[in-house]
Coordinates of all heavy atoms in Angstrom, one line a residue:
G1 N 10.6 3.8 -14.9 CA 9.6 3.4 -15.9 C 9.0 2.0 -15.5 O 9.4 1.4 -14.5
V2 N 8.1 1.6 -16.3 CA 7.3 0.4 -16.0 C 8.3 -0.9 -16.0 O 8.0 -1.9 -15.4 CB 6.2 0.2 -17.0 CG1 6.5 -0.6 -18.2 CG2 5.0 -0.4 -16.3
D3 N 9.4 -0.8 -16.7 CA 10.3 -1.9 -16.8 C 11.0 -2.2 -15.5 O 11.5 -3.3 -15.3 CB 11.4 -1.6 -17.9 CG 10.8 -1.6 -19.3 OD1 9.7 -2.2 -19.5 OD2 11.4 -0.9 -20.2
S4 N 11.1 -1.2 -14.7 CA 11.8 -1.4 -13.4 C 10.9 -1.9 -12.3 O 11.3 -2.1 -11.2 CB 12.5 -0.1 -12.9 OG 11.6 0.9 -12.7
L5 N 9.6 -2.0 -12.6 CA 8.6 -2.5 -11.6 C 8.8 -4.0 -11.3 O 9.1 -4.7 -12.2 CB 7.2 -2.2 -12.0 CG 6.9 -0.7 -12.0 CD1 5.5 -0.4 -12.6 CD2 7.0 0.0 -10.7
Q6 N 8.5 -4.3 -10.0 CA 8.7 -5.7 -9.6 C 7.4 -6.5 -9.5 O 6.4 -5.9 -9.4 CB 9.3 -5.7 -8.2 CG 10.6 -4.9 -8.0 CD 10.9 -4.8 -6.5 OE1 10.8 -5.8 -5.8 NE2 11.4 -3.7 -6.1
R7 N 7.6 -7.8 -9.6 CA 6.4 -8.7 -9.4 C 6.6 -9.2 -7.9 O 7.6 -9.7 -7.5 CB 6.5 -9.9 -10.3 CG 6.2 -9.5 -11.8 CD 6.8 -10.6 -12.7 NE 6.3 -11.9 -12.5 CZ 5.1 -12.3 -13.0 NH1 4.3 -11.4 -13.7 NH2 4.6 -13.5 -12.8
I8 N 5.6 -8.9 -7.1 CA 5.8 -9.1 -5.6 C 4.7 -10.1 -5.1 O 3.5 -9.9 -5.4 CB 5.6 -7.7 -4.9 CG1 6.7 -6.8 -5.3 CG2 5.6 -7.9 -3.4 CD1 6.3 -5.3 -5.5
T9 N 5.2 -11.1 -4.5 CA 4.4 -12.1 -3.9 C 3.9 -11.7 -2.5 O 4.5 -10.8 -1.9 CB 5.1 -13.5 -3.8 OG1 6.2 -13.3 -2.9 CG2 5.5 -14.0 -5.1
P10 N 2.8 -12.3 -2.0 CA 2.3 -11.9 -0.6 C 3.4 -12.1 0.4 O 3.5 -11.3 1.4 CB 1.2 -12.9 -0.4 CG 0.6 -13.2 -1.8 CD 1.8 -13.2 -2.7
S11 N 4.3 -13.1 0.3 CA 5.3 -13.3 1.3 C 6.4 -12.3 1.3 O 7.0 -11.9 2.3 CB 5.9 -14.8 1.2 OG 6.4 -15.0 0.0
I12 N 6.7 -11.8 0.1 CA 7.7 -10.7 0.0 C 7.0 -9.4 0.6 O 7.7 -8.7 1.4 CB 8.1 -10.4 -1.5 CG1 8.8 -11.6 -2.1 CG2 8.9 -9.1 -1.6 CD1 10.2 -11.9 -1.5
L13 N 5.8 -9.2 0.2 CA 5.0 -8.0 0.7 C 5.0 -8.0 2.3 O 5.2 -7.0 2.9 CB 3.6 -8.1 0.2 CG 2.6 -7.0 0.6 CD1 3.1 -5.6 0.1 CD2 1.2 -7.3 0.0
K14 N 4.9 -9.2 2.9 CA 4.8 -9.3 4.3 C 6.1 -8.9 5.0 O 6.0 -8.5 6.2 CB 4.5 -10.8 4.6 CG 3.9 -11.1 6.0 CD 3.5 -12.6 6.1 CE 2.8 -12.9 7.4 NZ 2.4 -14.3 7.5
Q15 N 7.2 -8.9 4.3 CA 8.5 -8.5 4.9 C 8.5 -7.0 5.1 O 9.4 -6.5 5.9 CB 9.6 -9.0 4.0 CG 9.8 -10.5 4.0 CD 10.7 -11.0 2.9 OE1 11.4 -10.2 2.3 NE2 10.8 -12.3 2.7
H16 N 7.7 -6.3 4.4 CA 7.7 -4.8 4.5 C 6.5 -4.3 5.4 O 5.6 -3.7 4.9 CB 7.6 -4.2 3.1 CG 8.8 -4.7 2.3 ND1 10.0 -4.0 2.2 CD2 8.9 -5.7 1.5 CE1 10.8 -4.6 1.4 NE2 10.1 -5.7 0.9
N17 N 6.6 -4.7 6.7 CA 5.5 -4.3 7.6 C 5.9 -3.4 8.7 O 5.2 -3.4 9.7 CB 4.8 -5.6 8.1 CG 5.8 -6.4 8.9 OD1 7.0 -6.1 9.0 ND2 5.3 -7.5 9.6
K18 N 7.0 -2.7 8.6 CA 7.5 -1.9 9.6 C 7.2 -0.4 9.2 O 7.2 -0.1 8.0 CB 9.0 -2.0 9.8 CG 9.5 -3.5 10.0 CD 9.1 -4.0 11.4 CE 9.7 -5.4 11.6 NZ 9.3 -6.4 10.6
K19 N 7.1 0.5 10.2 CA 6.9 1.9 10.0 C 7.9 2.5 9.1 O 7.6 3.3 8.3 CB 6.9 2.6 11.4 CG 5.8 3.7 11.4 CD 5.6 4.2 12.8 CE 6.7 5.1 13.3 NZ 6.5 5.6 14.7
D20 N 9.2 2.1 9.2 CA 10.2 2.7 8.4 C 10.4 1.9 7.1 O 11.4 2.2 6.3 CB 11.5 2.8 9.2 CG 12.1 1.5 9.6 OD1 11.4 0.4 9.5 OD2 13.2 1.4 10.1
D21 N 9.6 0.9 6.9 CA 9.7 0.1 5.6 C 8.3 -0.6 5.4 O 8.1 -1.8 5.7 CB 10.8 -1.0 5.8 CG 10.9 -1.9 4.6 OD1 10.4 -1.5 3.5 OD2 11.4 -3.0 4.7
A22 N 7.4 0.2 5.0 CA 6.0 -0.3 4.9 C 5.5 -0.3 3.4 O 5.5 0.8 2.8 CB 5.1 0.6 5.7
W23 N 5.2 -1.5 3.0 CA 4.6 -1.6 1.7 C 3.1 -2.1 1.9 O 2.8 -2.8 2.8 CB 5.3 -2.7 0.8 CG 6.7 -2.3 0.4 CD1 7.4 -1.2 0.7 CD2 7.5 -3.0 -0.5 NE1 8.6 -1.2 0.1 CE2 8.7 -2.3 -0.7 CE3 7.3 -4.2 -1.2 CZ2 9.8 -2.8 -1.5 CZ3 8.4 -4.7 -2.0 CH2 9.6 -4.0 -2.2
S24 N 2.3 -1.7 0.9 CA 0.9 -2.3 1.0 C 0.4 -2.3 -0.5 O 0.8 -1.6 -1.4 CB 0.0 -1.4 1.8 OG -1.3 -1.9 1.9
A25 N -0.6 -3.3 -0.7 CA -1.1 -3.5 -2.0 C -2.5 -2.9 -2.1 O -3.3 -3.1 -1.1 CB -1.1 -4.9 -2.4
F26 N -2.8 -2.2 -3.1 CA -4.2 -1.7 -3.4 C -4.5 -2.0 -4.8 O -3.8 -1.5 -5.7 CB -4.3 -0.2 -3.1 CG -3.9 0.2 -1.7 CD1 -2.6 0.7 -1.4 CD2 -4.8 0.0 -0.6 CE1 -2.3 1.0 -0.1 CE2 -4.4 0.3 0.7 CZ -3.1 0.8 0.9
Y27 N -5.6 -2.7 -5.0 CA -6.1 -3.0 -6.4 C -5.0 -3.6 -7.3 O -4.8 -3.2 -8.4 CB -6.7 -1.7 -7.0 CG -7.8 -1.1 -6.2 CD1 -7.5 0.0 -5.4 CD2 -9.0 -1.7 -6.1 CE1 -8.5 0.6 -4.6 CE2 -10.0 -1.2 -5.3 CZ -9.8 0.0 -4.5 OH -10.7 0.5 -3.7
G28 N -4.2 -4.5 -6.7 CA -3.2 -5.2 -7.5 C -1.9 -4.5 -7.6 O -0.9 -5.1 -8.2
K29 N -1.8 -3.3 -7.1 CA -0.5 -2.6 -7.2 C 0.1 -2.4 -5.8 O -0.6 -2.2 -4.8 CB -0.7 -1.2 -7.8 CG -1.0 -1.2 -9.3 CD -1.2 0.3 -9.8 CE -1.4 0.3 -11.3 NZ -1.6 1.8 -11.7
V30 N 1.4 -2.6 -5.7 CA 2.1 -2.5 -4.5 C 2.8 -1.2 -4.3 O 3.5 -0.8 -5.3 CB 3.2 -3.7 -4.3 CG1 4.0 -3.5 -3.0 CG2 2.5 -5.0 -4.4
Y31 N 2.6 -0.5 -3.2 CA 3.2 0.8 -3.0 C 4.0 0.8 -1.7 O 3.7 0.1 -0.8 CB 2.1 1.9 -2.8 CG 1.1 2.0 -4.0 CD1 0.0 1.2 -4.0 CD2 1.4 2.9 -5.0 CE1 -0.9 1.3 -5.1 CE2 0.5 3.0 -6.1 CZ -0.6 2.2 -6.1 OH -1.5 2.3 -7.2
N32 N 5.1 1.6 -1.8 CA 5.9 1.9 -0.6 C 5.2 3.1 0.1 O 5.3 4.2 -0.3 CB 7.3 2.3 -1.0 CG 8.1 2.7 0.3 OD1 7.6 2.6 1.4 ND2 9.4 3.0 0.0
I33 N 4.4 2.8 1.2 CA 3.6 3.8 1.8 C 4.4 4.5 2.9 O 3.8 5.5 3.5 CB 2.3 3.2 2.4 CG1 2.5 2.1 3.4 CG2 1.4 2.7 1.3 CD1 1.3 1.6 4.1
T34 N 5.6 4.1 3.1 CA 6.4 4.8 4.2 C 6.4 6.3 4.2 O 6.1 6.9 5.2 CB 7.9 4.2 4.2 OG1 7.9 2.8 4.0 CG2 8.6 4.6 5.4
P35 N 6.7 6.9 3.0 CA 6.7 8.4 3.1 C 5.4 9.1 3.3 O 5.3 10.2 3.6 CB 7.3 8.8 1.7 CG 7.3 7.6 0.8 CD 7.1 6.4 1.7
Y36 N 4.3 8.3 3.0 CA 3.0 8.9 3.2 C 2.4 8.8 4.6 O 1.5 9.6 4.9 CB 2.0 8.2 2.2 CG 0.6 8.7 2.2 CD1 0.3 10.0 1.8 CD2 -0.4 7.9 2.7 CE1 -1.0 10.5 1.9 CE2 -1.7 8.4 2.8 CZ -2.0 9.7 2.4 OH -3.3 10.2 2.5
I37 N 3.0 7.9 5.4 CA 2.5 7.7 6.8 C 2.2 9.0 7.5 O 1.1 9.2 8.1 CB 3.4 6.7 7.6 CG1 3.4 5.3 6.9 CG2 2.9 6.6 9.0 CD1 4.4 4.3 7.5
P38 N 3.2 9.9 7.6 CA 2.9 11.1 8.4 C 1.8 12.0 7.8 O 1.3 12.9 8.5 CB 4.3 11.9 8.4 CG 5.2 11.0 7.7 CD 4.5 9.9 7.0
F39 N 1.5 11.8 6.6 CA 0.5 12.7 5.9 C -0.9 12.1 5.9 O -1.9 12.8 5.4 CB 0.9 13.0 4.5 CG 2.3 13.7 4.4 CD1 3.4 12.9 4.1 CD2 2.4 15.0 4.7 CE1 4.7 13.5 4.1 CE2 3.7 15.6 4.7 CZ 4.8 14.9 4.3
H40 N -1.1 10.9 6.3 CA -2.4 10.3 6.2 C -3.5 11.0 7.1 O -3.3 11.0 8.3 CB -2.3 8.8 6.5 CG -3.7 8.1 6.4 ND1 -4.2 7.3 7.4 CD2 -4.6 8.1 5.4 CE1 -5.3 6.8 7.1 NE2 -5.6 7.3 5.9
P41 N -4.5 11.5 6.5 CA -5.5 12.2 7.3 C -6.2 11.3 8.4 O -6.7 11.8 9.4 CB -6.6 12.7 6.3 CG -5.9 12.7 5.0 CD -4.9 11.6 5.1
G42 N -6.2 10.0 8.1 CA -6.8 9.0 9.1 C -5.8 8.6 10.1 O -6.2 7.7 11.0
G43 N -4.6 9.0 10.1 CA -3.6 8.7 11.1 C -2.7 7.5 10.8 O -3.0 6.7 9.9
E44 N -1.6 7.5 11.5 CA -0.6 6.4 11.3 C -1.1 5.1 11.7 O -0.8 4.1 11.0 CB 0.6 6.8 12.1 CG 1.7 5.7 12.2 CD 2.8 6.1 13.2 OE1 3.3 7.2 13.2 OE2 3.1 5.2 14.1
K45 N -1.8 5.0 12.8 CA -2.3 3.7 13.3 C -3.2 3.0 12.3 O -3.0 1.8 12.1 CB -3.0 3.9 14.7 CG -3.0 2.7 15.5 CD -3.7 3.0 16.9 CE -4.2 1.7 17.5 NZ -5.2 1.9 18.5
E46 N -4.1 3.7 11.7 CA -5.0 3.1 10.8 C -4.3 2.6 9.5 O -4.5 1.5 9.0 CB -6.1 4.1 10.3 CG -7.1 4.5 11.4 CD -8.1 3.4 11.6 OE1 -7.8 2.2 11.8 OE2 -9.3 3.7 11.5
L47 N -3.4 3.5 9.0 CA -2.6 3.1 7.8 C -1.7 1.9 8.0 O -1.6 1.1 7.2 CB -1.8 4.3 7.4 CG -1.2 4.3 6.0 CD1 -2.2 3.9 4.9 CD2 -0.5 5.6 5.7
M48 N -1.1 1.8 9.2 CA -0.2 0.7 9.5 C -1.0 -0.7 9.6 O -0.3 -1.7 9.6 CB 0.6 0.9 10.8 CG 1.7 1.9 10.7 SD 2.9 1.3 9.4 CE 3.6 -0.2 10.2
R49 N -2.3 -0.6 9.7 CA -3.1 -1.9 9.7 C -2.9 -2.6 8.4 O -3.1 -3.9 8.3 CB -4.5 -1.6 9.9 CG -4.8 -1.2 11.3 CD -6.3 -0.7 11.5 NE -7.3 -1.8 11.2 CZ -8.6 -1.6 11.2 NH1 -9.1 -0.4 11.3 NH2 -9.4 -2.6 10.9
V50 N -2.6 -1.9 7.3 CA -2.4 -2.6 6.0 C -1.0 -2.8 5.6 O -0.7 -3.3 4.5 CB -3.2 -1.8 4.9 CG1 -4.7 -1.8 5.2 CG2 -2.6 -0.4 4.7
A51 N 0.0 -2.4 6.4 CA 1.4 -2.6 6.1 C 1.7 -4.0 6.0 O 1.4 -4.8 6.9 CB 2.2 -1.9 7.2
G52 N 2.4 -4.4 4.9 CA 2.8 -5.8 4.7 C 1.7 -6.7 4.1 O 1.9 -7.9 4.1
R53 N 0.6 -6.1 3.8 CA -0.5 -6.9 3.2 C -1.3 -6.2 2.2 O -1.2 -5.0 2.0 CB -1.3 -7.5 4.4 CG -2.0 -6.5 5.2 CD -2.7 -7.2 6.4 NE -3.7 -6.3 7.0 CZ -5.0 -6.3 6.7 NH1 -5.4 -7.1 5.7 NH2 -5.9 -5.6 7.3
D54 N -2.3 -7.0 1.6 CA -3.2 -6.4 0.7 C -4.2 -5.6 1.4 O -5.0 -6.1 2.2 CB -3.9 -7.5 -0.1 CG -4.7 -7.0 -1.3 OD1 -5.1 -5.8 -1.3 OD2 -5.0 -7.8 -2.2
G55 N -4.2 -4.2 1.2 CA -5.1 -3.3 1.9 C -6.4 -3.0 1.2 O -7.1 -2.1 1.6
T56 N -6.6 -3.6 0.0 CA -7.7 -3.2 -0.8 C -9.0 -3.2 -0.1 O -9.7 -2.2 -0.2 CB -7.8 -4.1 -2.1 OG1 -6.5 -4.2 -2.7 CG2 -8.8 -3.6 -3.1
K57 N -9.4 -4.2 0.6 CA -10.7 -4.3 1.2 C -10.9 -3.2 2.3 O -11.9 -2.5 2.3 CB -10.9 -5.7 1.9 CG -11.5 -6.7 0.9 CD -11.9 -8.0 1.6 CE -12.2 -9.1 0.6 NZ -11.9 -10.4 1.2
L58 N -9.9 -3.1 3.1 CA -9.9 -2.1 4.2 C -10.0 -0.7 3.6 O -10.7 0.2 4.1 CB -8.7 -2.2 5.1 CG -8.8 -1.8 6.6 CD1 -10.1 -2.3 7.2 CD2 -7.6 -2.3 7.4
F59 N -9.2 -0.4 2.6 CA -9.2 0.9 1.9 C -10.6 1.2 1.3 O -11.1 2.3 1.5 CB -8.1 0.9 0.8 CG -8.1 2.2 0.1 CD1 -7.3 3.3 0.6 CD2 -8.8 2.3 -1.1 CE1 -7.3 4.5 -0.1 CE2 -8.7 3.6 -1.8 CZ -8.0 4.6 -1.3
A60 N -11.1 0.2 0.6 CA -12.4 0.4 0.0 C -13.5 0.6 1.0 O -14.5 1.3 0.7 CB -12.7 -0.8 -0.9
T61 N -13.4 0.0 2.1 CA -14.4 0.1 3.2 C -14.4 1.5 3.8 O -15.4 2.1 4.1 CB -14.2 -0.9 4.3 OG1 -13.9 -2.2 3.7 CG2 -15.5 -1.1 5.1
T62 N -13.2 2.0 4.0 CA -13.0 3.3 4.7 C -13.2 4.5 3.8 O -13.9 5.4 4.1 CB -11.6 3.4 5.3 OG1 -10.6 3.0 4.4 CG2 -11.5 2.6 6.6
H63 N -12.7 4.4 2.6 CA -12.8 5.6 1.6 C -12.5 5.2 0.2 O -11.5 5.6 -0.4 CB -12.0 6.8 2.0 CG -10.6 6.4 2.6 ND1 -9.8 5.4 2.0 CD2 -9.9 6.8 3.6 CE1 -8.7 5.3 2.6 NE2 -8.7 6.1 3.7
G64 N -13.5 4.4 -0.4 CA -13.3 4.0 -1.7 C -13.3 5.1 -2.7 O -12.8 4.9 -3.9
W65 N -13.7 6.3 -2.4 CA -13.7 7.5 -3.3 C -12.4 8.1 -3.4 O -12.1 8.9 -4.3 CB -14.7 8.5 -2.8 CG -14.4 9.1 -1.4 CD1 -13.5 10.2 -1.2 CD2 -14.8 8.6 -0.2 NE1 -13.4 10.4 0.1 CE2 -14.2 9.5 0.8 CE3 -15.6 7.6 0.3 CZ2 -14.3 9.3 2.2 CZ3 -15.7 7.4 1.7 CH2 -15.1 8.3 2.6
V66 N -11.4 7.8 -2.5 CA -10.1 8.4 -2.5 C -9.3 7.7 -3.7 O -9.2 6.5 -3.8 CB -9.3 8.2 -1.2 CG1 -7.9 8.6 -1.3 CG2 -10.0 9.0 -0.1
N67 N -8.6 8.6 -4.5 CA -7.8 8.0 -5.6 C -6.4 7.8 -5.2 O -5.5 8.6 -5.4 CB -7.8 9.0 -6.8 CG -7.3 8.4 -8.1 OD1 -6.6 7.5 -8.0 ND2 -7.7 9.0 -9.2
A68 N -6.2 6.6 -4.5 CA -4.9 6.2 -4.0 C -3.9 6.0 -5.2 O -2.7 6.3 -5.0 CB -5.0 5.0 -3.2
D69 N -4.4 5.5 -6.3 CA -3.5 5.3 -7.4 C -2.8 6.5 -7.9 O -1.6 6.5 -8.2 CB -4.4 4.7 -8.6 CG -3.5 4.1 -9.7 OD1 -2.5 3.5 -9.4 OD2 -3.9 4.4 -10.9
F70 N -3.6 7.6 -7.9 CA -3.0 8.9 -8.3 C -2.1 9.5 -7.2 O -1.0 9.9 -7.4 CB -4.2 9.9 -8.5 CG -3.7 11.3 -8.8 CD1 -3.2 11.7 -10.1 CD2 -3.8 12.3 -7.8 CE1 -2.8 13.0 -10.3 CE2 -3.4 13.6 -8.1 CZ -2.9 13.9 -9.3
M71 N -2.6 9.4 -5.9 CA -1.8 9.9 -4.8 C -0.5 9.3 -4.6 O 0.5 9.9 -4.2 CB -2.7 9.8 -3.5 CG -3.9 10.7 -3.4 SD -4.7 10.5 -1.9 CE -3.5 11.0 -0.7
L72 N -0.5 7.9 -4.8 CA 0.7 7.2 -4.5 C 1.6 6.8 -5.7 O 2.4 6.0 -5.6 CB 0.3 5.9 -3.7 CG -0.5 6.1 -2.4 CD1 -0.9 4.7 -1.9 CD2 0.4 6.7 -1.4
D73 N 1.3 7.4 -6.8 CA 1.9 7.1 -8.1 C 3.5 7.0 -8.0 O 4.1 6.1 -8.4 CB 1.5 8.1 -9.2 CG 2.1 7.7 -10.5 OD1 1.8 6.5 -10.9 OD2 2.8 8.5 -11.1
A74 N 4.0 8.0 -7.3 CA 5.5 8.1 -7.1 C 6.0 7.0 -6.2 O 7.2 6.8 -6.1 CB 5.9 9.5 -6.6
C75 N 5.1 6.3 -5.5 CA 5.5 5.3 -4.5 C 5.3 3.9 -5.0 O 5.4 2.9 -4.3 CB 4.7 5.5 -3.2 SG 4.9 7.1 -2.4
L76 N 4.9 3.8 -6.3 CA 4.6 2.5 -6.9 C 5.9 1.6 -6.9 O 6.9 2.1 -7.4 CB 4.1 2.6 -8.3 CG 3.6 1.4 -9.0 CD1 2.5 0.7 -8.3 CD2 3.2 1.7 -10.4
V77 N 5.8 0.4 -6.4 CA 6.9 -0.5 -6.4 C 6.8 -1.6 -7.4 O 7.7 -2.0 -8.1 CB 7.1 -1.2 -5.0 CG1 8.3 -2.2 -5.0 CG2 7.3 -0.1 -3.9
G78 N 5.5 -2.1 -7.6 CA 5.3 -3.1 -8.6 C 3.9 -3.7 -8.5 O 3.0 -3.0 -8.0
F79 N 3.8 -5.0 -8.9 CA 2.5 -5.6 -9.0 C 2.4 -6.8 -8.1 O 3.3 -7.6 -8.0 CB 2.2 -6.0 -10.4 CG 2.2 -4.8 -11.3 CD1 3.3 -4.4 -12.0 CD2 1.1 -4.0 -11.4 CE1 3.3 -3.3 -12.9 CE2 1.1 -2.8 -12.2 CZ 2.2 -2.5 -12.9
L80 N 1.3 -7.0 -7.4 CA 1.1 -8.2 -6.5 C 0.7 -9.4 -7.4 O -0.1 -9.3 -8.3 CB -0.1 -7.9 -5.6 CG -0.3 -8.9 -4.5 CD1 0.9 -9.0 -3.5 CD2 -1.6 -8.5 -3.7
V81 N 1.5 -10.4 -7.2 CA 1.3 -11.7 -8.0 C 1.1 -12.8 -7.0 O 1.3 -12.7 -5.8 CB 2.5 -12.0 -8.9 CG1 2.7 -10.9 -9.9 CG2 3.8 -12.2 -8.1
G82 N 0.6 -14.0 -7.5 CA 0.4 -15.1 -6.7 C 1.7 -15.7 -6.2 O 2.8 -15.4 -6.7
E83 N 1.6 -16.5 -5.1 CA 2.8 -17.0 -4.4 C 3.8 -17.7 -5.3 O 5.0 -17.6 -5.1 CB 2.4 -17.9 -3.2 CG 3.4 -17.9 -2.1 CD 3.7 -16.6 -1.5 OE1 2.8 -16.0 -0.9 OE2 4.8 -16.1 -1.6
S84 N 3.3 -18.4 -6.2 CA 4.2 -19.3 -7.0 C 4.7 -18.6 -8.3 O 5.4 -19.2 -9.1 CB 3.5 -20.6 -7.4 OG 2.3 -20.3 -8.1
S85 N 4.3 -17.3 -8.5 CA 4.6 -16.6 -9.8 C 5.9 -15.8 -9.8 O 6.2 -15.1 -10.7 CB 3.4 -15.7 -10.2 OG 2.2 -16.2 -9.8
S86 N 6.6 -15.9 -8.7 CA 7.8 -15.1 -8.6 C 8.9 -15.6 -9.5 O 9.8 -15.0 -9.8 CB 8.3 -15.0 -7.1 OG 8.5 -16.3 -6.6
Ligands
HEM1 C1 -8.9 9.6 5.7 C2 -5.9 8.5 2.1 C3 -5.4 4.1 3.8 C4 -8.5 5.1 7.3 C5 -8.2 9.6 4.5 C6 -8.2 10.8 3.6 C7 -7.4 10.5 2.6 C8 -6.8 9.2 2.9 C9 -7.1 11.4 1.4 C10 -9.1 12.0 3.7 C11 -10.4 11.6 3.0 C12 -11.5 12.6 3.2 O1 -11.4 13.5 4.1 O2 -12.5 12.6 2.4 C13 -5.5 7.2 2.2 C14 -4.5 6.6 1.4 C15 -4.4 5.3 1.9 C16 -5.2 5.2 3.0 C17 -3.9 7.2 0.1 C18 -3.5 4.2 1.4 C19 -2.2 4.4 1.3 C20 -6.2 3.9 4.9 C21 -6.5 2.7 5.6 C22 -7.4 3.0 6.5 C23 -7.7 4.4 6.5 C24 -5.9 1.3 5.2 C25 -8.0 2.1 7.6 C26 -7.4 1.0 8.1 C27 -8.8 6.4 7.2 C28 -9.8 7.0 8.1 C29 -9.9 8.3 7.6 C30 -9.0 8.4 6.4 C31 -10.5 6.4 9.3 C32 -10.8 9.4 8.1 C33 -10.1 10.4 9.0 C34 -10.9 11.5 9.5 O3 -11.6 12.1 8.7 O4 -11.0 11.7 10.7 N1 -7.3 8.7 4.1 N2 -5.9 6.4 3.2 N3 -7.0 4.9 5.4 N4 -8.4 7.2 6.3 FE1 -7.1 6.8 4.8

């Protein structure tokens, strides 16, 4: 439930930038995208560009019409917050 979600700073997010441990933020929400990597229609290489960082801009530029919030609901880890808010 929502109570178990974490507040994640950019530096914490940055630690999850590996293929077997990839997190990314879209529109303020942080997702564990690791299980989705093999299923991305745009390929693994493109998706890994946003691993460990805020992917909102790149996502919006490539396919803003895709409902990532719905697709990745089960992969939600928490919310992106400012560096000093942890
Ligand atoms: C295609 C989902 C992140 C690049 C797609 C499609 C989906 C999707 C559903 C098919 C769209 C369609 O055919 O209309 C996602 C999700 C993402 C994500 C859920 C976040 C977790 C990204 C990022 C990039 C990217 C960050 C670029 C760096 C592409 C490209 C295609 C594509 C280039 C087109 C592939 C093709 O049609 O040949 N993605 N995507 N995606 N995605 Fe993503």
Side-chain angles (χ1 to χ4, degrees):
V2 92
D3 292 338
S4 63
L5 293 173
Q6 309 171 38
R7 292 158 61 78
I8 297 142
T9 58
S11 56
I12 295 291
L13 180 59
K14 203 173 179 177
Q15 292 168 8
H16 302 270
N17 63 352
K18 309 287 188 302
K19 216 167 77 178
D20 63 352
D21 175 22
W23 291 6
S24 185
F26 303 100
Y27 306 104
K29 289 179 175 179
V30 177
Y31 301 91
N32 177 2
I33 58 172
T34 313
Y36 180 67
I37 295 173
F39 302 101
H40 180 230
E44 171 190 311
K45 203 178 156 196
E46 290 283 55
L47 192 50
M48 281 304 292
R49 289 171 65 189
V50 298
R53 62 190 197 87
D54 190 340
T56 307
K57 269 187 195 155
L58 208 43
F59 179 86
T61 319
T62 47
H63 40 45
W65 63 88
V66 171
N67 193 339
D69 190 41
F70 175 78
M71 290 182 62
L72 301 172
D73 185 56
C75 304
L76 184 62
V77 179
F79 301 96
L80 188 62
V81 296
E83 206 58 67
S84 56
S85 326
S86 56

